[in-house]
Amino acid sequence: MHLSAPAIILSMRQHGEHGAIVRALTPDDGVQPGYVRGGRSRALRPVLQPGNLVQGNWRARTDAQLPALTIELTHSRAPLFAEPLPAAAIAWLTTLTVSTLPEAQPYPRLHAGLAAALDAIEAAPVARRWATLVARYELLLLAELGFGLALDACVATGVTDDLAWVSPRSGGAVSRAAAYGHEPRLLPLPAFLRDGGEAPDWPALFAALAITRHFLDRDLLRDRAADLLAARDRLGGLLARAAA
């Protein structure tokens, strides 16, 4: 097995006295694990920071063997970890990705979506702008893994206009008329999550994040929800401070 590809570092776990097991997301070959010799060294630890862009080379003699991985840094996002809000966002996105995607399965749309979200975190001075991409990435992840939400028509009536709510059971949109009297049981649907457009205001953004959190918890994270959602809730708390 020999694979050479650009990749986004997702996780690094110490292995042995000096090495590290690294998982990275490639555009065409999905999540790829590898053993990095000397990965715990002072020189390599900053390179293996989650969110960094690298050129990776994986080599193994058999498919059953953990590949040896050599890495060349192409772009570092390590300076962002000096700021709590960007650091929390990058940690959540990379942790969510590595915890839910099966290895060696191609997810080119997710690679593109994660890259776009990380680029926005790095480039946008206003958290409200890049947090929109966090919500969109979570929605895309659900869809790519078979748990997509149906937001284009009312699940009760089939109408396609005045969609204002999401059913927490079906994941389908609900029109304002069909929701009448049942609003406390439903999740508010912000228009941007369905229609796109400019960055929403904070209430709409938090409504979107509430939707994706609910379905991530229910459909993907399951037994791992408590540990993983702690990172998501930390990010939510920091965003709430930024909005205040």
Side-chain angles (χ1 to χ4, degrees):
M1 176 266 196
H2 177 211
L3 171 65
S4 179
I8 302 169
I9 299 290
L10 298 178
S11 68
M12 187 275 282
R13 178 169 58 86
Q14 296 180 357
H15 185 78
E17 293 186 6
H18 306 291
I21 295 176
V22 172
R23 286 175 168 81
L25 181 62
T26 66
D28 301 317
D29 296 279
V31 176
Q32 292 289 334
Y35 175 77
V36 178
R37 186 183 300 274
R40 296 175 60 182
S41 68
R42 183 175 299 179
L44 280 180
R45 280 200 307 268
V47 174
L48 302 180
Q49 185 79 41
N52 281 355
L53 303 183
V54 300
Q55 180 68 28
N57 284 280
W58 290 261
R59 290 181 180 273
R61 293 182 178 178
T62 68
D63 290 340
Q65 182 183 26
L66 179 67
L69 171 60
T70 57
I71 282 179
E72 179 184 351
L73 180 66
T74 58
H75 182 70
S76 174
R77 293 193 170 101
L80 294 176
F81 282 81
E83 298 293 333
L85 188 48
I90 295 172
W92 162 245
L93 290 171
T94 53
T95 298
L96 173 65
T97 303
V98 78
S99 300
T100 54
L101 293 191
E103 291 180 355
Q105 299 297 315
Y107 290 98
R109 294 180 64 204
L110 284 175
H111 181 275
L114 179 59
L118 294 173
D119 285 345
I121 292 168
E122 186 172 14
V126 180
R128 184 167 57 87
R129 294 186 178 277
W130 57 251
T132 303
L133 291 184
V134 172
R136 291 193 185 284
Y137 180 73
E138 293 174 344
L139 199 65
L140 176 63
L141 182 73
L142 284 162
E144 289 286 294
L145 293 179
F147 299 100
L149 278 62
L151 303 180
D152 56 346
C154 176
V155 69
T157 65
V159 301
T160 58
D161 58 350
D162 204 23
L163 304 176
W165 303 90
V166 174
S167 166
R169 295 184 64 183
S170 70
V174 183
S175 69
R176 204 176 305 274
Y180 183 75
H182 303 282
E183 292 90 345
R185 303 177 185 177
L186 303 173
L187 299 167
L189 172 60
F192 88 92
L193 204 58
R194 184 186 68 249
D195 302 329
E198 297 296 323
D201 59 17
W202 282 111
L205 175 59
F206 287 127
L209 291 170
I211 290 170
T212 53
R213 186 193 189 283
H214 171 79
F215 290 102
L216 286 171
D217 184 6
R218 190 192 74 175
D219 295 329
L220 283 184
L221 303 184
R222 297 173 185 156
D223 294 339
R224 299 165 293 175
D227 291 338
L228 292 176
L229 287 178
R232 174 57 147 72
D233 292 340
R234 180 172 182 271
L235 173 59
L238 291 169
L239 287 171
R241 290 186 197 175

